[in-house]
Amino acid sequence: MLTERQLEIVLSVVYEYIETGEPSGSRTISKKYLRGCSPATVRNEMADLEEMGYLYQPHTSAGRIPTPKAYRLYVDSIMQRKRLPHPVFRDWLSEMRSQRQDLETVMSYTSHLLGRMTSYIGVAAIANLEEVILQRVDFLRLGGETVLMVMILDGGIIHSRTVNISADVHQDLLDDLARTINSIASGKVWGKTKDILYTFLLKELEKLFNACRDAIAQMDMILSSSNYRLFTGGASHILSLPDFQDIGKLKAILSILEEEQVLVDLVERCSLEDGVRVTIGDENNSTGMNNCSIVTVSKRARGQKAVLGLIGPMRMDYERSISLLETLLKGLYK
Amino acid sequence: MLTERQLEIVLSVVYEYIETGEPSGSRTISKKYLRGCSPATVRNEMADLEEMGYLYQPHTSAGRIPTPKAYRLYVDSIMQRKRLPHPVFRDWLSEMRSQRQDLETVMSYTSHLLGRMTSYIGVAAIANLEEVILQRVDFLRLGGETVLMVMILDGGIIHSRTVNISADVHQDLLDDLARTINSIASGKVWGKTKDILYTFLLKELEKLFNACRDAIAQMDMILSSSNYRLFTGGASHILSLPDFQDIGKLKAILSILEEEQVLVDLVERCSLEDGVRVTIGDENNSTGMNNCSIVTVSKRARGQKAVLGLIGPMRMDYERSISLLETLLKGLYK
DNA sequence: ATTAGCACTCTTTGATGTTGAGTGCCAACT
DNA sequence: AGTTGGCACTCAACATCAAAGAGTGCTAAT
């Protein structure tokens, strides 16, 4: 559909725009990327490319900037190339990992690191998959009919929630319950164990079971849904980017960052399968993110899904971002 | 030091500036607040007040705006007045509290609510005091010499941390350790129990103790230091304020929000004793917050210190902010 | 001590002209 | 047919300038 030369021009415009942030004219493209063609030739091609929806002219006497369609072309071409791992952080990360910090610390740090290194917004998320393994559960009577339930999953994810149960149960009974559940389900895949657990509890602990039905249902709810732990970092850095000088856009993005659920949905949609995924502009149909791109890498392992991502302007440096994300994710699992 | 009339003028300028955000001239003040005086009189007084450091003129032909010194005067005068509780949210809060959500959810929600209601940045923090009560501790072998330690404090605060111990200990031994610690220290004030615990463990569990010395030292560190849980919410709303249209200021504030430790220090300094505290402009000597004020209310109870706060522009609506904070804090403890 | 009057200052706003980058198109060239 | 040089045209960006308006400081009168 596109001639070789047209492709080259589109990619050059994208590359130039990512570098400089300025629209580029036919003269520049001709001089820097296509020595064989005169500016006039490039001009003609550019007019065609604009018609085809790859380039866009902010105003009559300006150069061309890429449309999302052009970015898509560019990103796809990058993805075919072989990528080198990002050199800097291998040592650093393996050290961090060897210190065996707890998961939350690592995730939080990683998101900040991502933000700081790129000036985009770093995202680090982790979710348990269907095969989640329960390590341990504890119930703690807070008073009245309220119980604090703390679940520790394989890999160190901690979920806590208060639940209301239908009777004022003594702490000793709760300890009994926890001990039973732990002995049956600890270290096992929840999905395969829970039915056994249910029937066992029904038989053995009838008196307890009624009161604690809610508690167990809540456990199941948390363990069975893909429950995300999500961290973002580096939001303050995007203010340095020329792309986000407009307060309006800024506000849209920051308010999304504050609504954790929206962000989780966004990240989830972007990481349906393992590997790199780039979502450009309004490909993520989320209001307020029209001018943003999202790059994610994700990986399933050990019953968890880990996602690292970057949210940046459409003209973000995709190549560097992808390589950085891949390196960090690999580092996390070394 | 200030005459009655001078005081009135200063307060009027502050009030007017909080309302409108515009410098106010002698004419306005005379017409709206001091019908008895002509603009010329007000002008003369204003010149004096500027010399005394209460007012400031952005440029020759502009009205006056308040200096931090004037805000201080204003806030002090407010604090003497009796304050009405903020009417709206009493029902709402008691309902939330009656649902017995876990602490983190409540704090996070509160900070967002504060932000949303005021368009400033809401802060909610909680710390354990010296008399912190340990409810329960669990140790979980993650592999190698790494152990995840989960502490649940009175009131539902959860602290987790991975610790390295000096030997590869079996999970059964860790369970033993936890059971022993729980039976001795659970439900008791940590400061009073820990010595008993130490000597007991030294005697009874010699073989374990060496390996777990680090773990217990870590417990002590977390429980003995005033360890803050801190939430902020509503940062995106401040972009609507005319005061923060300047990207530079914005960046300073957002980067402080991202550095949790800086923020904790800031909040801690502001809440040394119970009750309302207002810190205006550079009274908090923190770079980047020169143009901001911080209002906090804090309260000690049940071995915890709870702090609610608002970070806003110097011309924030102190009266409304204080009343809102007081109402919410009271609501949390109802 | 207070006030009216007035000249003065300084920002804000809008109009106007100039510059320069970049285009679109046409005619000439290969 | 594809490519190229030339040229008129467009439009944002910038600077300059004038007018308007808000508010002051000072002085002289009350």
Side-chain angles (χ1 to χ4, degrees):
Chain A
M1 194 135 98
L2 287 180
T3 67
E4 179 70 21
R5 189 168 65 192
Q6 284 176 324
L7 185 64
E8 239 174 299
I9 291 176
V10 173
L11 296 185
S12 303
V13 172
V14 174
Y15 187 79
E16 191 69 13
Y17 192 62
I18 286 177
E19 281 265 288
T20 67
E22 305 278 303
S24 31
S26 53
R27 197 186 149 73
T28 321
I29 297 296
S30 153
K31 241 196 341 202
K32 285 181 74 171
Y33 301 93
L34 290 166
R35 299 304 302 257
C37 299
S38 81
T41 315
V42 176
R43 260 206 298 285
N44 290 329
E45 297 281 31
M46 275 176 152
D48 291 350
L49 287 167
E50 179 157 13
E51 218 167 299
M52 291 194 250
Y54 288 99
L55 298 180
Y56 168 72
Q57 215 173 3
H59 58 265
T60 320
S61 73
R64 302 303 209 292
I65 59 175
T67 61
K69 202 169 165 186
Y71 284 116
R72 172 51 62 198
L73 207 61
Y74 174 78
V75 168
D76 289 347
S77 91
I78 280 184
M79 299 294 287
Q80 285 174 10
R81 287 217 291 277
K82 202 169 164 74
R83 294 179 295 281
L84 295 174
H86 199 280
V88 184
F89 280 82
R90 259 183 305 189
D91 305 344
W92 181 88
L93 240 172
S94 66
E95 192 206 335
M96 163 137 217
R97 197 57 184 168
S98 77
Q99 276 186 268
R100 292 256 182 193
Q101 299 279 1
D102 57 302
L103 198 62
E104 306 226 338
T105 310
V106 173
M107 300 298 275
S108 163
Y109 198 101
T110 305
S111 72
H112 277 91
L113 180 69
L114 277 169
R116 187 146 36 84
M117 289 210 43
T118 59
S119 289
Y120 311 137
I121 298 171
V123 177
I126 199 156
N128 38 281
L129 297 170
E130 306 74 38
E131 326 92 59
V132 58
I133 293 173
L134 180 71
Q135 280 276 17
R136 170 176 289 244
V137 65
D138 263 325
F139 300 101
L140 201 66
R141 183 180 175 281
L142 290 182
E145 304 184 345
T146 316
V147 170
L148 176 68
M149 171 171 81
V150 183
M151 280 173 292
I152 303 170
L153 309 187
D154 192 32
I157 306 181
I158 298 174
H159 284 285
S160 68
R161 172 168 306 184
T162 54
V163 292
N164 286 300
I165 56 179
S166 51
D168 192 348
V169 176
H170 194 272
Q171 178 67 45
D172 291 344
L173 281 182
L174 290 176
D175 285 346
D176 261 3
L177 181 65
R179 208 171 303 126
T180 312
I181 296 180
N182 283 330
S183 71
I184 294 178
S186 167
K188 309 236 177 68
V189 172
W190 174 253
K192 292 181 187 157
T193 331
K194 71 172 178 184
D195 290 333
I196 304 171
L197 189 64
Y198 264 107
T199 46
F200 180 84
L201 283 177
L202 194 54
K203 255 199 313 212
E204 302 291 313
L205 289 166
E206 263 177 286
K207 59 182 188 304
L208 253 181
F209 187 71
N210 256 336
C212 300
R213 187 194 299 272
D214 282 352
I216 297 167
Q218 286 277 342
M219 277 186 69
D220 192 34
M221 222 180 74
I222 292 179
L223 295 172
S224 298
S225 68
S226 67
N227 223 305
Y228 272 86
R229 271 266 185 285
L230 185 142
F231 299 84
T232 62
S236 66
H237 301 292
I238 67 167
L239 298 183
S240 317
L241 297 178
D243 307 84
F244 292 111
Q245 296 304 338
D246 179 15
I247 301 261
K249 284 183 209 164
L250 221 48
K251 199 179 165 189
I253 296 177
L254 287 193
S255 55
I256 285 178
L257 287 193
E258 288 216 327
E259 299 245 8
E260 181 160 330
Q261 196 47 51
V262 177
L263 204 55
V264 164
D265 291 347
L266 210 59
V267 168
E268 186 156 33
R269 243 181 293 145
C270 289
S271 60
L272 293 177
E273 64 234 19
D274 276 16
V276 181
R277 172 140 176 180
V278 180
T279 310
I280 296 164
D282 45 12
E283 286 177 7
N284 64 70
N285 38 11
S286 153
T287 337
M289 300 281 285
N290 307 327
N291 298 82
C292 295
S293 286
I294 305 177
V295 183
T296 57
V297 298
S298 55
K299 179 170 183 168
R300 283 142 219 267
R302 308 177 199 168
Q304 296 167 7
K305 177 160 80 175
V307 184
L308 296 184
L310 281 168
I311 302 175
M314 255 205 270
R315 59 167 270 266
M316 68 195 286
D317 186 339
Y318 295 97
E319 196 154 16
R320 180 158 176 272
S321 300
I322 292 172
S323 125
L324 181 60
L325 286 171
E326 283 185 324
T327 310
L328 280 187
L329 187 65
K330 206 178 290 174
L332 281 178
Y333 276 100
K334 191 147 46 178
Chain B
M1 192 135 102
L2 286 179
T3 67
E4 179 70 21
R5 190 167 66 191
Q6 284 175 323
L7 185 65
E8 237 173 300
I9 290 176
V10 173
L11 296 184
S12 302
V13 172
V14 175
Y15 186 80
E16 190 70 12
Y17 192 60
I18 286 177
E19 281 265 288
T20 67
E22 305 279 302
S24 31
S26 53
R27 197 186 149 72
T28 321
I29 297 296
S30 153
K31 237 191 352 197
K32 285 180 75 172
Y33 301 94
L34 288 166
R35 300 304 303 256
C37 299
S38 82
T41 314
V42 176
R43 261 206 297 284
N44 289 330
E45 296 282 32
M46 275 177 152
D48 290 350
L49 287 166
E50 179 158 15
E51 218 167 302
M52 291 194 251
Y54 288 99
L55 299 180
Y56 168 72
Q57 216 175 0
H59 59 265
T60 322
S61 73
R64 303 303 211 290
I65 59 175
T67 62
K69 201 169 164 184
Y71 283 116
R72 171 51 61 199
L73 207 61
Y74 174 78
V75 168
D76 289 348
S77 91
I78 279 183
M79 297 295 287
Q80 286 174 10
R81 288 217 290 276
K82 202 168 165 73
R83 294 180 296 281
L84 295 174
H86 198 281
V88 185
F89 280 81
R90 259 183 308 191
D91 304 343
W92 180 89
L93 240 171
S94 66
E95 190 206 336
M96 164 137 217
R97 198 57 184 168
S98 77
Q99 276 186 267
R100 291 256 182 193
Q101 300 280 1
D102 57 302
L103 198 62
E104 306 226 336
T105 310
V106 173
M107 301 298 276
S108 163
Y109 197 101
T110 305
S111 73
H112 277 91
L113 180 69
L114 277 169
R116 188 147 34 84
M117 289 210 42
T118 57
S119 289
Y120 310 138
I121 298 171
V123 177
I126 198 156
N128 38 282
L129 297 170
E130 305 74 41
E131 325 93 59
V132 57
I133 293 172
L134 180 71
Q135 282 276 15
R136 168 177 292 245
V137 65
D138 263 325
F139 299 101
L140 201 64
R141 183 180 175 282
L142 291 182
E145 305 183 344
T146 317
V147 170
L148 177 69
M149 172 172 81
V150 182
M151 280 173 293
I152 303 169
L153 309 187
D154 192 31
I157 307 181
I158 299 174
H159 283 286
S160 69
R161 172 168 307 184
T162 55
V163 292
N164 286 299
I165 56 178
S166 50
D168 191 349
V169 176
H170 192 272
Q171 178 66 47
D172 291 346
L173 280 183
L174 290 175
D175 286 347
D176 259 3
L177 180 67
R179 207 171 304 127
T180 312
I181 296 180
N182 283 330
S183 71
I184 295 178
S186 166
K188 310 235 176 68
V189 172
W190 174 254
K192 293 181 187 157
T193 332
K194 71 173 178 186
D195 290 332
I196 303 171
L197 189 64
Y198 264 106
T199 47
F200 180 83
L201 283 177
L202 194 55
K203 255 198 314 212
E204 302 291 313
L205 290 164
E206 263 176 285
K207 58 179 189 306
L208 252 181
F209 187 70
N210 255 336
C212 301
R213 188 194 298 273
D214 282 351
I216 298 168
Q218 286 277 342
M219 277 186 69
D220 191 33
M221 221 180 73
I222 293 179
L223 294 173
S224 298
S225 69
S226 66
N227 223 305
Y228 271 86
R229 270 268 186 285
L230 185 141
F231 298 84
T232 62
S236 67
H237 300 292
I238 67 166
L239 298 183
S240 316
L241 297 178
D243 307 85
F244 293 111
Q245 296 304 341
D246 179 16
I247 302 260
K249 284 183 207 163
L250 221 47
K251 200 179 164 189
I253 296 177
L254 287 193
S255 55
I256 286 178
L257 287 194
E258 289 216 325
E259 300 243 10
E260 181 159 330
Q261 195 47 53
V262 176
L263 204 56
V264 164
D265 291 348
L266 211 60
V267 168
E268 186 157 32
R269 243 180 294 143
C270 289
S271 59
L272 293 177
E273 63 235 18
D274 277 16
V276 182
R277 173 139 174 181
V278 180
T279 311
I280 296 164
D282 47 12
E283 286 177 6
N284 64 71
N285 37 12
S286 153
T287 337
M289 300 281 285
N290 308 328
N291 299 82
C292 295
S293 286
I294 305 176
V295 183
T296 57
V297 297
S298 55
K299 179 170 184 170
R300 282 142 218 265
R302 307 178 200 166
Q304 296 168 4
K305 177 161 80 175
V307 184
L308 296 183
L310 282 167
I311 301 175
M314 256 205 271
R315 59 167 270 265
M316 69 195 284
D317 186 338
Y318 295 97
E319 196 154 16
R320 179 156 175 274
S321 300
I322 292 172
S323 126
L324 181 59
L325 287 171
E326 283 185 325
T327 310
L328 280 187
L329 187 65
K330 208 178 287 176
L332 281 178
Y333 276 99
K334 189 148 42 176

